[in-house]
Amino acid sequence: MRFLKEIRLKIGLYFLRKHAGKIIRDKKTIAFEEITSFVLFFETNEARVPQAIEQFSQMLVKENKKVFQVVYFTGDLNRLEYGPHDKRIILTKKDLNLFLIPSKEILESFEYIAAEYLVDLNLTDCFPLLYLAAISSAHLKAGIQSDLRFPWYDLMIKDESNDQQEFTQHLLHYIKILNPH
């Protein structure tokens, strides 16, 4: 079974490189005070948005930032307590093809999210979210350090704590000290 998953991932990466190669983006850093929008990526099986992510989102909103969320939900859909709205996209396994690539509908929905910074809050690799991150035109893409993320992200933080709350604070610290000059 693991062998099949690895083959699916390799084929998915092939299509990702092909798709991402067509994306034109303006890579740049923006002072935290001047950032107007973020898109947060996370995977969860919890019925509610995880507390660390909810706190991170609320802190950004208090700083007058527009916050979008892209959620890969792996739990029981019948228990899901939050749903999609104009600032949230929820994708599930049924929204992926055989190679773990998000459906055309999800890709089209994602195109309408115009966020300056993309922040991946996952502590592990999640290919469907990585695919969306790679094709994003966000000015800066940030997340935890991993080999799979390396070609697509601009800022990667090494964090071995496995504590999402700690990681979000660590990542925010680095985003706030980025100097565009």
Side-chain angles (χ1 to χ4, degrees), residues 129-172:
L129 292 178
L130 175 73
Y131 192 96
L132 291 172
I135 64 167
S136 170
S137 60
H139 297 304
L140 184 118
K141 301 173 188 179
I144 200 162
Q145 183 178 346
S146 79
D147 291 340
L148 198 56
R149 290 180 176 104
F150 182 74
W152 319 110
Y153 286 54
D154 308 306
L155 173 66
M156 292 191 292
I157 307 295
K158 185 171 184 158
D159 188 282
E160 297 172 359
S161 70
N162 284 336
D163 181 336
Q164 198 164 39
Q165 181 76 36
E166 186 177 311
F167 175 67
T168 60
Q169 295 307 313
H170 203 123
L171 190 58
L172 182 62

Side-chain angles (χ1 to χ4, degrees), residues 29-69:
T29 56
I30 303 170
F32 183 76
E33 298 77 29
E34 297 173 12
I35 301 169
T36 60
S37 58
F38 284 84
V39 59
L40 307 179
F41 279 35
F42 63 95
E43 175 183 7
T44 186
N45 61 1
E46 297 178 24
R48 294 183 174 177
V49 175
Q51 183 178 1
I53 293 169
E54 187 62 34
Q55 289 174 349
F56 188 75
S57 295
Q58 292 306 318
M59 186 282 309
L60 291 173
V61 169
K62 285 179 185 174
E63 295 276 348
N64 296 316
K65 313 298 182 198
K66 187 184 288 188
V67 178
F68 300 94
Q69 295 178 345

